[in-house]
Amino acid sequence: QVQLVESGGGLVQAGGSLRLSCAASGITSGINTMGWYRQALGKQRELVAAISRSGNINYADSVKGRFTISRDNAENTVSLQMNSLKPEDTAVYYCNVVRTRYGAQYNYWGQGTRVTVSS
């Protein structure tokens, strides 16, 4: 099993910045993609950004140019630097890790951290 502990989040004014971090522990061998999803009230969970072990990155169009994802493979951590925040970025942000073992993929989720952007 993989345990994910998130930190960061909080309340910020529009235009401000926040940094989210997530640390994976437990059975971390085989971890491939690490990323962040978010779920706003009344909406479905959506991908914000993801980064593969080799460094390939995928961003949601709504955050391109404002958010930056990074990871440390040695420490099994992933971070999300969020700049120029907008009220529509308000959501609960979840860390996600995909682990591959013997051809099967396993998804793990953090407990979620709330980000609130005031206008």
Side-chain angles (χ1 to χ4, degrees):
Q1 295 294 323
V2 176
Q3 293 80 44
L4 301 176
V5 177
E6 299 156 344
S7 60
L11 173 64
V12 66
Q13 288 188 334
S17 298
L18 284 174
R19 184 177 181 86
L20 306 182
S21 295
C22 174
S25 62
I27 304 176
T28 57
S29 60
I31 286 179
N32 185 3
T33 303
M34 303 182 80
W36 292 91
Y37 286 69
R38 68 186 180 187
Q39 187 166 17
L41 191 63
K43 295 187 177 181
Q44 289 188 332
R45 191 173 297 188
E46 62 176 2
L47 173 70
V48 176
I51 180 169
S52 70
R53 190 170 187 83
S54 60
N56 292 321
I57 293 174
N58 183 30
Y59 290 108
D61 288 343
S62 59
V63 307
K64 284 180 180 177
R66 300 188 298 123
F67 291 10
T68 302
I69 190 170
S70 60
R71 69 184 282 175
D72 184 325
N73 290 333
E75 298 293 328
N76 291 307
T77 59
V78 61
S79 297
L80 185 68
Q81 178 66 40
M82 305 184 294
N83 299 328
S84 302
L85 283 160
K86 304 175 180 180
E88 50 264 44
D89 294 317
T90 295
V92 177
Y93 285 70
Y94 296 91
C95 177
N96 170 259
V97 162
V98 179
R99 180 172 175 262
T100 302
R101 293 294 288 174
Y102 305 113
Q105 287 192 336
Y106 302 88
N107 268 279
Y108 300 91
W109 295 92
Q111 78 280 5
T113 184
R114 185 173 298 277
V115 172
T116 303
V117 184
S118 63
S119 58

